[in-house]
Amino acid sequence: MATAQDKGRKRHVIVDTMGLLLLLVVAVTSASVQDRAGGRTVLARLASGFRTISLVWADGGYANSVDSTLLSWARDALNIVVEIVKRTDDVKGFKVLPRRWRAVARLDAIIDERF
């Protein structure tokens, strides 16, 4: 999620189930970096800082039908299951997705406080 002041950057964050930001697992990358590469960074930080976490819900950009290496890497190397939260194809326009809205709400709050 980029703002007008931060064009060209992606923020990869992990929040807990209450929407609280886990500060050890934040990464800011260039917009040219694939989501799966940024996902490896934050998942590795998550595994080293929070050893008991075994399930992560992620946006569809972190895996697709062509490349699911992030999911298998997280499962095999980190013992973390990454479950992709997808919207249904029949939905048109914006729809709040369960689980994923917490991360979006947290990012919005952080951006609003910064600017």
Side-chain angles (χ1 to χ4, degrees), residues 34-69:
Q34 290 290 324
D35 287 345
R36 291 175 297 285
R40 281 184 184 251
T41 301
V42 294
L43 287 173
R45 290 180 185 173
L46 177 71
S48 66
F50 300 90
R51 298 184 189 278
T52 59
I53 293 179
S54 60
L55 173 65
V56 172
W57 293 307
D59 182 79
Y62 289 96
N64 59 34
S65 59
V66 175
D67 184 6
S68 64
T69 57

Side-chain angles (χ1 to χ4, degrees), residues 31-113:
S32 63
V33 174
Q34 290 290 324
D35 287 345
R36 291 175 297 285
R40 281 184 184 251
T41 301
V42 294
L43 287 173
R45 290 180 185 173
L46 177 71
S48 66
F50 300 90
R51 298 184 189 278
T52 59
I53 293 179
S54 60
L55 173 65
V56 172
W57 293 307
D59 182 79
Y62 289 96
N64 59 34
S65 59
V66 175
D67 184 6
S68 64
T69 57
L70 176 67
L71 306 181
S72 57
W73 172 79
R75 184 187 63 242
D76 298 339
L78 305 175
N79 204 26
I80 294 175
V81 173
V82 178
E83 184 178 303
I84 302 299
V85 178
K86 294 183 181 179
R87 68 183 181 102
T88 58
D89 292 333
D90 59 342
V91 173
K92 302 238 187 288
F94 176 78
K95 179 166 177 14
V96 175
L97 297 175
R99 301 179 186 108
R100 201 168 81 180
W101 69 269
R102 289 197 169 121
V104 173
R106 178 56 56 195
L107 279 174
D108 285 345
I110 290 169
I111 290 168
D112 286 347
E113 289 175 14

Side-chain angles (χ1 to χ4, degrees), residues 10-26:
K10 287 184 183 176
R11 292 168 190 85
H12 305 273
V13 301
I14 294 184
V15 298
D16 66 10
T17 55
M18 292 179 14
L20 301 174
L21 187 66
L22 302 178
L23 290 177
L24 296 175
V25 290
V26 173

